[in-house]
Amino acid sequence: MPGHHTTNGFDLDEFLARATQAVNRALDRFLPPATVRPATIHKAMRYSLFAGGKRMRPALCLAAAEACGGSWAEAMPPACAVECIHTYSLIHDDLPAMDNDDYRRGKPTCHKVFGEGIAILAGDALLTHAFEILAQSRGWPRYPHPRLVVELARAAGSLQLIAGQVEDLEAEGKKISASRLQYIHERKTSALLCCAVRLGGMSANCTPRHLRALTNFGYHVGLAFQVIDDILDVTQTSEKLGKTAGKDTRAKKATYPSIVGLEKSRQIAESLTQRAFAALKPFRGRARALEALATFLLQRDR
Ligand code: FPP
Ligand code: MG
């Protein structure tokens, strides 16, 4: 990733450094200490949660709250809840029964360190704990707690995140259509990113119009994110990615580069990002953090 990131005078590096620090502190507070019995599970949960993830989903959640005139403090429970779900999904995705990966975020995967049984349980515990954290949100008459819970449960459930993972597993080794691949990407990646920005907006008691704009933004940024993830798997080294590169090809995974080629994939990511920018119009300049994040995600190299 080249140099310092500024978009229209907005200092993204500074924003991300502050957001990451605030999110890490909050996650540390929300999770049981590593010494609490049974210590193994709390160590495993914390091992993966603090393994050096980019914190993109929480950053998007905080940025969405900002765009709607809200505060980081009120966006922090949903931001952390989404990161817990994300981390659980990676722990389970890396298991031998799924993608069978030994490295993630530059470190041995959870099951490599703690064994499969504990890794499964660490994922389960993070998924469950996400809802306990979300319950600590403030809630508004327009967005009461049941609404927030449904929002996260749907994004993580069998119609979205799990649906994407199921079809991803079933598509392995098969030649699938571009529209089926889009179905997978919308669910396994875009849904949770979209949920992160929507919950950020809800934490700020956003208007229905702003919520629609965030949904549109989150959907396109999320889809672009997975297309770029596919591209990086073929163009980057394992060292850079912190996980095994070139795995999609070896596992005969359906990806954008394998179906439409690398050049076309880049064009698709670019045009999805443009659509995401366009979605921010109703914020009339108050969504600079979201804009900068979308630019950064398009240019990311890990
Ligand atoms: C990388 O995120 C992860 C993705 C692009 C999502 C992939 C989706 C799955 C593995 C679905 C798994 C679902 C289940 C139910 C097992 P990132 O680049 O933000 O990672 P980071 O947090 O390490 O930076
Ligand atoms: Mg996978």
Side-chain angles (χ1 to χ4, degrees):
M1 185 80 60
H4 204 77
H5 301 93
T6 43
T7 310
N8 303 327
F10 181 84
D11 189 343
L12 182 67
D13 288 341
E14 189 269 338
F15 176 90
L16 280 177
R18 266 193 308 129
T20 303
Q21 191 187 49
V23 167
N24 287 347
R25 284 199 184 133
L27 282 169
D28 184 43
R29 265 193 301 109
F30 283 131
L31 251 78
T35 48
V36 165
R37 185 177 175 185
T40 323
I41 190 70
H42 300 122
K43 285 200 175 76
M45 290 160 78
R46 283 171 173 270
Y47 175 80
S48 290
L49 206 48
F50 295 103
K54 294 182 292 296
R55 305 294 192 224
M56 281 301 134
R57 293 151 190 83
L60 285 163
C61 183
L62 301 181
E66 248 179 46
C68 300
S71 73
W72 280 17
E74 288 185 355
M76 204 49 88
C80 291
V82 168
E83 189 67 2
C84 286
I85 304 245
H86 167 58
T87 300
Y88 126 72
S89 79
L90 298 184
I91 294 174
H92 282 191
D93 185 60
D94 290 334
L95 286 168
M98 298 214 202
D99 281 359
N100 190 19
D101 240 303
D102 293 354
Y103 286 94
R104 168 78 68 181
R105 297 165 165 173
K107 295 182 166 180
T109 41
C110 194
H111 66 271
K112 281 276 150 189
V113 178
F114 296 92
E116 280 182 49
I118 294 297
I120 292 170
L121 292 167
D124 293 342
L126 283 167
L127 168 59
T128 311
H129 205 67
F131 287 90
E132 183 172 335
I133 295 172
L134 184 67
Q136 294 173 55
S137 300
R138 163 180 176 156
W140 298 91
R142 196 187 274 148
Y143 305 112
H145 287 97
R147 175 94 200 263
L148 304 178
V149 169
V150 166
E151 182 70 29
L152 189 61
R154 284 217 178 122
S158 64
L159 297 175
Q160 295 290 335
L161 177 65
I162 304 272
Q165 183 73 350
V166 168
E167 295 230 359
D168 182 287
L169 288 178
E170 289 176 349
E172 223 165 281
K174 291 203 190 103
K175 183 113 190 74
I176 63 166
S177 66
S179 78
R180 179 138 181 241
L181 183 61
Q182 184 177 327
Y183 171 100
I184 293 171
H185 282 24
E186 281 170 357
R187 283 158 187 80
K188 83 169 184 192
T189 305
S190 183
L192 196 58
L193 266 102
C194 190
C195 176
V197 293
R198 281 171 53 89
L199 284 170
M202 290 180 184
S203 77
N205 196 24
C206 68
T207 62
R209 180 161 164 268
H210 280 164
L211 188 62
R212 280 196 299 277
L214 290 174
T215 308
N216 201 353
F217 172 81
Y219 168 80
H220 288 100
V221 157
L223 198 50
F225 192 87
Q226 186 58 54
V227 175
I228 292 163
D229 209 70
D230 288 359
I231 294 172
L232 294 176
D233 186 78
V234 274
T235 59
Q236 291 293 350
T237 61
S238 302
E239 290 69 37
K240 186 86 203 174
L241 296 180
K243 62 180 182 187
T244 324
K247 246 194 126 243
D248 293 344
T249 315
R250 259 172 287 132
K252 295 195 170 59
K253 283 254 173 211
T255 64
Y256 271 76
S258 76
I259 289 184
V260 301
L262 204 49
E263 218 21 69
K264 185 88 183 56
S265 301
R266 289 203 172 102
Q267 283 166 21
I268 291 173
E270 170 75 39
S271 93
L272 286 167
T273 306
Q274 289 310 322
R275 291 240 209 154
F277 285 141
L280 296 177
K281 238 183 128 186
F283 293 103
R284 290 201 265 107
R286 284 194 297 110
R288 289 167 75 217
L290 286 177
E291 254 171 49
L293 279 166
T295 308
F296 171 81
L297 291 179
L298 182 68
Q299 294 165 354
R300 80 192 169 100
D301 61 1
R302 73 175 184 104

